[in-house]
Amino acid sequence: MKIVDVDVWVVNLPLVNPFTSSFETKTGETRTVVRIRTDSGVEGWGETMWGRPVAAIVESLRKDLIGTSPFALESFHRKQHMLPFFHGYLGYAALAAIDVACWDAMGKATQQPVTDLLGGRVRDEVPITALVTRADAPGASGSSLAGALAEHAVRVVEEGGFSAVKLKGTKDVQGDVAILRALRAALPDVNLRVDPNAAWSVPDSVRAGIALEELDLEYLEDPCSGIEGMSQVKAKVRIPLCTNMCVVRFEEFAPAMRLNAVDVIHGDVYKWGGIAATKALAAHCETFGLGMNLHSGGELGIATAAHLAVVASTPVLSRAIDSMYYLHADDIIEPLHLENGRLRVPEGPGLGVTVDEDKLRHFAAVNEREGDLTR
């Protein structure tokens, strides 16, 4: 089975509500979608972070893909090992789009779910996290903001059945602490997290971390920047520290271990360059006694299905993963079903999802009109 063609689209999909973090507010998501076609008639679909810059990189790899087997992923990744060096995250994202499409094709060719190709299921359903941002309380400010967000979070948990809640933090450290106190008072039994995306200084992270210890947070994610900064915070704060920012390549794993900087690492198929790389990260985390979870960069259905396959086949991924899937107003596949805060792992061959090509073309046309909403 050989690859004979590669198709690439860039799509824009709206969010149900604006989503705010310490560095942006977005109302929609831009994603790159890839399809590989083979001489046997099997097709494989992939999807990854960001838009036109990533799509251009994928297009540039077409000549290296034509005539090769989707099963030859190790050779493909070895040949493209310099791509992230030159393109950074964009390079990893482009590699991941092709990687996921190849796994989908391999599963369809063998009539096996990707989950089974990765070692088989250890779980059939994957809990996801309810994400809370300041944009969820429009019009509220000052002393009313914490209460308004707590009321919103209670509604989301009750309606969706979520077992974990994550606050997207801001540069307003004390405001975030007040919101977390209100969330814990309103939701005493959920796993509670906060992620300021490294917007806090080391001293502010220490002060806030000590103040938050009484709230029994599941973890504090990237309060400050860098392995050195996280190490200083970890030495003084008893809340487990998680990162999606200071350990994002294998080269950063050993320094983080030497400095005892983190307790939990967020993987991401699309930031780490593919499914096998994410599974390798899981092996590293288990070997060193770390926890692991998955980051969300705004995955639509194809990318979410790949994350579900990884989680379903990886014992260490036992927490509610981050997923923005439920925040999208539409999808380019027949939608995945969310029930009681959990997504069921697809059961069909490959990723187990069916692309709606009419919707794909529609949202690609939206991108043509609007341009990229995210990088």
Side-chain angles (χ1 to χ4, degrees):
M1 184 171 70
K2 303 295 184 182
I3 297 171
V4 296
D5 201 6
V6 181
D7 300 306
V8 186
W9 297 263
V10 179
V11 297
N12 287 3
L13 272 83
L15 295 173
V16 175
N17 295 305
F19 186 87
T20 297
S21 66
S22 63
F23 61 93
E24 67 175 350
T25 296
K26 57 184 179 181
T27 58
E29 205 72 58
T30 297
R31 305 287 291 183
T32 293
V33 179
V34 174
R35 175 176 61 192
I36 62 170
R37 298 175 186 263
T38 69
D39 56 4
S40 65
V42 171
E43 296 180 349
W45 290 88
E47 173 211 326
T48 194
M49 302 171 72
W50 302 313
R52 297 179 188 183
V54 170
I57 299 172
V58 174
E59 294 274 10
S60 74
L61 297 175
R62 177 183 277 110
K63 65 182 184 301
D64 292 332
L65 290 166
I66 301 300
T68 67
S69 169
F71 287 87
L73 270 180
E74 193 69 43
S75 176
F76 168 73
H77 282 290
R78 291 288 178 178
K79 185 174 183 179
Q80 306 300 335
H81 74 282
M82 290 298 290
L83 202 69
F85 177 82
F86 290 113
H87 297 284
Y89 280 161
L90 301 183
Y92 284 117
L95 291 175
I98 296 165
D99 180 277
V100 169
C102 288
W103 279 101
D104 188 37
M106 285 189 278
K108 290 172 180 174
T110 58
Q111 286 297 297
Q112 296 294 322
V114 170
T115 304
D116 287 352
L117 299 182
L118 295 174
R121 293 177 181 231
V122 296
R123 54 184 66 88
D124 294 320
E125 296 178 328
V126 176
I128 68 172
T129 306
L131 302 170
V132 176
T133 85
R134 294 193 182 204
D136 292 323
S141 61
S143 60
S144 67
L145 178 61
L149 285 176
E151 291 175 5
H152 165 78
V154 168
R155 288 194 300 271
V156 170
V157 168
E158 289 179 347
E159 293 170 6
F162 297 97
S163 60
V165 172
K166 173 173 167 177
L167 172 68
K168 291 298 290 186
T170 67
K171 296 177 182 178
D172 176 14
V173 183
Q174 293 308 311
D176 287 345
V177 170
I179 293 168
L180 287 162
R181 284 175 171 151
L183 289 172
R184 176 52 80 210
L187 295 165
D189 298 323
V190 302
N191 289 319
L192 186 59
R193 314 163 182 165
V194 59
D195 175 17
N197 287 109
W200 301 351
S201 67
V202 170
D204 282 344
S205 297
V206 172
R207 275 197 299 271
I210 292 171
L212 292 170
E213 286 178 352
E214 65 182 8
L215 301 187
D216 190 28
L217 298 188
E218 184 178 9
Y219 52 68
L220 175 56
E221 182 181 344
D222 289 310
C224 61
S225 64
I227 292 173
E228 177 65 35
M230 291 281 281
S231 176
Q232 292 181 44
V233 174
K234 191 172 183 304
K236 298 177 181 177
V237 174
R238 292 181 294 173
I239 302 170
L241 293 191
C242 173
T243 187
N244 166 59
M245 295 180 68
C246 74
V247 181
V248 294
R249 301 178 303 162
F250 286 105
E251 298 94 311
E252 294 162 342
F253 192 95
M257 295 303 96
R258 283 196 295 268
L259 288 177
N260 193 30
V262 296
D263 301 287
V264 180
I265 296 177
H266 267 196
D268 183 325
V269 167
Y270 312 99
K271 288 184 69 175
W272 284 78
I275 286 175
T278 307
K279 292 283 283 188
L281 175 64
H284 279 63
C285 288
E286 284 199 284
T287 300
F288 284 85
L290 299 182
M292 183 178 169
N293 208 345
L294 289 190
H295 164 262
S296 178
E299 300 82 19
L300 305 179
I302 299 170
T304 298
H307 268 187
L308 293 177
V310 171
V311 177
S313 61
T314 309
V316 73
L317 285 168
S318 58
R319 293 172 167 80
I321 66 169
D322 283 1
S323 175
M324 291 183 64
Y325 184 74
Y326 75 103
L327 298 176
H328 292 109
D330 208 336
D331 201 355
I332 56 172
I333 67 164
E334 296 177 7
L336 300 169
H337 184 56
L338 176 67
E339 185 175 1
N340 294 325
R342 295 170 175 265
L343 290 170
R344 187 156 191 86
V345 180
E347 296 183 353
L351 294 175
V353 299
T354 301
V355 174
D356 185 327
E357 295 191 41
D358 289 335
K359 285 190 175 183
L360 174 63
R361 286 188 288 269
H362 168 73
F363 289 114
V366 174
N367 177 267
E368 286 291 328
R369 293 195 304 270
E370 297 179 345
D372 289 358
L373 302 177
T374 50
R375 284 171 292 179

